PDB file of all heavy atoms in Angstrom:
ATOM      1  N   ASP A  97     -10.171  43.111  13.353  1.00  0.00           N
ATOM      2  CA  ASP A  97     -11.580  42.907  13.016  1.00  0.00           C
ATOM      3  C   ASP A  97     -11.722  42.837  11.487  1.00  0.00           C
ATOM      4  O   ASP A  97     -10.752  43.030  10.752  1.00  0.00           O
ATOM      5  CB  ASP A  97     -12.456  44.003  13.625  1.00  0.00           C
ATOM      6  CG  ASP A  97     -12.109  45.401  13.119  1.00  0.00           C
ATOM      7  OD1 ASP A  97     -11.588  45.555  11.990  1.00  0.00           O
ATOM      8  OD2 ASP A  97     -12.363  46.352  13.864  1.00  0.00           O
ATOM      9  N   LEU A  98     -12.921  42.579  11.010  1.00  0.00           N
ATOM     10  CA  LEU A  98     -13.153  42.383   9.570  1.00  0.00           C
ATOM     11  C   LEU A  98     -12.701  43.582   8.738  1.00  0.00           C
ATOM     12  O   LEU A  98     -12.005  43.423   7.729  1.00  0.00           O
ATOM     13  CB  LEU A  98     -14.627  42.082   9.297  1.00  0.00           C
ATOM     14  CG  LEU A  98     -15.164  40.758   9.830  1.00  0.00           C
ATOM     15  CD1 LEU A  98     -16.672  40.694   9.635  1.00  0.00           C
ATOM     16  CD2 LEU A  98     -14.486  39.588   9.171  1.00  0.00           C
ATOM     17  N   PHE A  99     -13.085  44.766   9.140  1.00  0.00           N
ATOM     18  CA  PHE A  99     -12.729  45.967   8.397  1.00  0.00           C
ATOM     19  C   PHE A  99     -11.207  46.148   8.371  1.00  0.00           C
ATOM     20  O   PHE A  99     -10.620  46.442   7.331  1.00  0.00           O
ATOM     21  CB  PHE A  99     -13.406  47.197   9.015  1.00  0.00           C
ATOM     22  CG  PHE A  99     -13.211  48.456   8.233  1.00  0.00           C
ATOM     23  CD1 PHE A  99     -13.938  48.693   7.076  1.00  0.00           C
ATOM     24  CD2 PHE A  99     -12.293  49.396   8.652  1.00  0.00           C
ATOM     25  CE1 PHE A  99     -13.751  49.861   6.343  1.00  0.00           C
ATOM     26  CE2 PHE A  99     -12.101  50.578   7.928  1.00  0.00           C
ATOM     27  CZ  PHE A  99     -12.826  50.800   6.768  1.00  0.00           C
ATOM     28  N   SER A 100     -10.576  45.939   9.516  1.00  0.00           N
ATOM     29  CA  SER A 100      -9.117  46.081   9.595  1.00  0.00           C
ATOM     30  C   SER A 100      -8.392  45.008   8.784  1.00  0.00           C
ATOM     31  O   SER A 100      -7.305  45.251   8.272  1.00  0.00           O
ATOM     32  CB  SER A 100      -8.663  46.038  11.053  1.00  0.00           C
ATOM     33  OG  SER A 100      -9.220  47.127  11.763  1.00  0.00           O
ATOM     34  N   VAL A 101      -8.997  43.828   8.668  1.00  0.00           N
ATOM     35  CA  VAL A 101      -8.398  42.786   7.820  1.00  0.00           C
ATOM     36  C   VAL A 101      -8.396  43.249   6.371  1.00  0.00           C
ATOM     37  O   VAL A 101      -7.401  43.075   5.659  1.00  0.00           O
ATOM     38  CB  VAL A 101      -9.135  41.431   7.969  1.00  0.00           C
ATOM     39  CG1 VAL A 101      -8.687  40.441   6.896  1.00  0.00           C
ATOM     40  CG2 VAL A 101      -8.895  40.848   9.358  1.00  0.00           C
ATOM     41  N   CYS A 102      -9.483  43.849   5.912  1.00  0.00           N
ATOM     42  CA  CYS A 102      -9.517  44.386   4.545  1.00  0.00           C
ATOM     43  C   CYS A 102      -8.361  45.363   4.334  1.00  0.00           C
ATOM     44  O   CYS A 102      -7.636  45.284   3.337  1.00  0.00           O
ATOM     45  CB  CYS A 102     -10.842  45.098   4.280  1.00  0.00           C
ATOM     46  SG  CYS A 102     -12.261  44.019   4.058  1.00  0.00           S
ATOM     47  N   LYS A 103      -8.194  46.286   5.255  1.00  0.00           N
ATOM     48  CA  LYS A 103      -7.117  47.278   5.146  1.00  0.00           C
ATOM     49  C   LYS A 103      -5.748  46.607   5.172  1.00  0.00           C
ATOM     50  O   LYS A 103      -4.868  46.949   4.380  1.00  0.00           O
ATOM     51  CB  LYS A 103      -7.222  48.312   6.263  1.00  0.00           C
ATOM     52  CG  LYS A 103      -8.425  49.208   6.113  1.00  0.00           C
ATOM     53  CD  LYS A 103      -8.489  50.425   7.008  1.00  0.00           C
ATOM     54  CE  LYS A 103      -7.930  50.288   8.371  1.00  0.00           C
ATOM     55  NZ  LYS A 103      -8.232  51.432   9.257  1.00  0.00           N
ATOM     56  N   GLU A 104      -5.576  45.632   6.054  1.00  0.00           N
ATOM     57  CA  GLU A 104      -4.287  44.931   6.166  1.00  0.00           C
ATOM     58  C   GLU A 104      -3.951  44.176   4.879  1.00  0.00           C
ATOM     59  O   GLU A 104      -2.816  44.210   4.401  1.00  0.00           O
ATOM     60  CB  GLU A 104      -4.311  43.966   7.360  1.00  0.00           C
ATOM     61  CG  GLU A 104      -3.046  43.161   7.549  1.00  0.00           C
ATOM     62  CD  GLU A 104      -1.836  43.982   7.949  1.00  0.00           C
ATOM     63  OE1 GLU A 104      -1.985  45.134   8.410  1.00  0.00           O
ATOM     64  OE2 GLU A 104      -0.713  43.465   7.804  1.00  0.00           O
ATOM     65  N   LEU A 105      -4.933  43.482   4.316  1.00  0.00           N
ATOM     66  CA  LEU A 105      -4.686  42.749   3.065  1.00  0.00           C
ATOM     67  C   LEU A 105      -4.298  43.715   1.949  1.00  0.00           C
ATOM     68  O   LEU A 105      -3.381  43.439   1.173  1.00  0.00           O
ATOM     69  CB  LEU A 105      -5.909  41.917   2.679  1.00  0.00           C
ATOM     70  CG  LEU A 105      -6.196  40.714   3.579  1.00  0.00           C
ATOM     71  CD1 LEU A 105      -7.522  40.060   3.192  1.00  0.00           C
ATOM     72  CD2 LEU A 105      -5.053  39.693   3.526  1.00  0.00           C
ATOM     73  N   LYS A 106      -4.977  44.839   1.876  1.00  0.00           N
ATOM     74  CA  LYS A 106      -4.618  45.838   0.862  1.00  0.00           C
ATOM     75  C   LYS A 106      -3.224  46.397   1.125  1.00  0.00           C
ATOM     76  O   LYS A 106      -2.447  46.593   0.190  1.00  0.00           O
ATOM     77  CB  LYS A 106      -5.665  46.945   0.789  1.00  0.00           C
ATOM     78  CG  LYS A 106      -6.947  46.454   0.129  1.00  0.00           C
ATOM     79  CD  LYS A 106      -7.899  47.572  -0.202  1.00  0.00           C
ATOM     80  CE  LYS A 106      -9.091  47.008  -0.964  1.00  0.00           C
ATOM     81  NZ  LYS A 106      -9.857  48.019  -1.656  1.00  0.00           N
ATOM     82  N   ASN A 107      -2.875  46.620   2.383  1.00  0.00           N
ATOM     83  CA  ASN A 107      -1.531  47.084   2.727  1.00  0.00           C
ATOM     84  C   ASN A 107      -0.468  46.049   2.361  1.00  0.00           C
ATOM     85  O   ASN A 107       0.679  46.407   2.097  1.00  0.00           O
ATOM     86  CB  ASN A 107      -1.424  47.415   4.217  1.00  0.00           C
ATOM     87  CG  ASN A 107      -2.128  48.694   4.577  1.00  0.00           C
ATOM     88  OD1 ASN A 107      -2.385  49.546   3.724  1.00  0.00           O
ATOM     89  ND2 ASN A 107      -2.465  48.847   5.852  1.00  0.00           N
ATOM     90  N   ARG A 108      -0.851  44.788   2.356  1.00  0.00           N
ATOM     91  CA  ARG A 108       0.071  43.718   1.970  1.00  0.00           C
ATOM     92  C   ARG A 108       0.145  43.547   0.452  1.00  0.00           C
ATOM     93  O   ARG A 108       0.774  42.634  -0.047  1.00  0.00           O
ATOM     94  CB  ARG A 108      -0.344  42.397   2.625  1.00  0.00           C
ATOM     95  CG  ARG A 108      -0.176  42.381   4.128  1.00  0.00           C
ATOM     96  CD  ARG A 108      -0.601  41.066   4.711  1.00  0.00           C
ATOM     97  NE  ARG A 108      -0.546  41.086   6.181  1.00  0.00           N
ATOM     98  CZ  ARG A 108      -0.772  40.015   6.933  1.00  0.00           C
ATOM     99  NH1 ARG A 108      -1.065  38.844   6.385  1.00  0.00           N
ATOM    100  NH2 ARG A 108      -0.708  40.113   8.257  1.00  0.00           N
ATOM    101  N   GLY A 109      -0.534  44.406  -0.281  1.00  0.00           N
ATOM    102  CA  GLY A 109      -0.451  44.379  -1.737  1.00  0.00           C
ATOM    103  C   GLY A 109      -1.500  43.541  -2.445  1.00  0.00           C
ATOM    104  O   GLY A 109      -1.430  43.349  -3.657  1.00  0.00           O
ATOM    105  N   ILE A 110      -2.473  43.048  -1.732  1.00  0.00           N
ATOM    106  CA  ILE A 110      -3.534  42.246  -2.346  1.00  0.00           C
ATOM    107  C   ILE A 110      -4.548  43.210  -2.958  1.00  0.00           C
ATOM    108  O   ILE A 110      -5.051  44.114  -2.285  1.00  0.00           O
ATOM    109  CB  ILE A 110      -4.174  41.306  -1.315  1.00  0.00           C
ATOM    110  CG1 ILE A 110      -3.097  40.321  -0.845  1.00  0.00           C
ATOM    111  CG2 ILE A 110      -5.375  40.590  -1.898  1.00  0.00           C
ATOM    112  CD1 ILE A 110      -3.506  39.466   0.306  1.00  0.00           C
ATOM    113  N   ILE A 111      -4.822  43.024  -4.244  1.00  0.00           N
ATOM    114  CA  ILE A 111      -5.681  43.976  -4.947  1.00  0.00           C
ATOM    115  C   ILE A 111      -7.105  43.471  -5.185  1.00  0.00           C
ATOM    116  O   ILE A 111      -7.985  44.249  -5.519  1.00  0.00           O
ATOM    117  CB  ILE A 111      -5.042  44.420  -6.281  1.00  0.00           C
ATOM    118  CG1 ILE A 111      -4.759  43.221  -7.174  1.00  0.00           C
ATOM    119  CG2 ILE A 111      -3.766  45.212  -6.021  1.00  0.00           C
ATOM    120  CD1 ILE A 111      -4.283  43.579  -8.564  1.00  0.00           C
ATOM    121  N   SER A 112      -7.327  42.164  -5.028  1.00  0.00           N
ATOM    122  CA  SER A 112      -8.687  41.651  -5.204  1.00  0.00           C
ATOM    123  C   SER A 112      -8.886  40.431  -4.314  1.00  0.00           C
ATOM    124  O   SER A 112      -7.924  39.772  -3.917  1.00  0.00           O
ATOM    125  CB  SER A 112      -8.951  41.299  -6.672  1.00  0.00           C
ATOM    126  OG  SER A 112      -8.120  40.244  -7.085  1.00  0.00           O
TER     127      SER A 112
END
Side-chain angles (χ1 to χ4, degrees):
D97 61 27
L98 293 173
F99 186 77
S100 297
V101 169
C102 286
K103 291 191 325 190
E104 178 67 17
L105 290 174
K106 287 191 175 197
N107 286 340
R108 292 180 185 185
I110 296 171
I111 57 173
S112 65

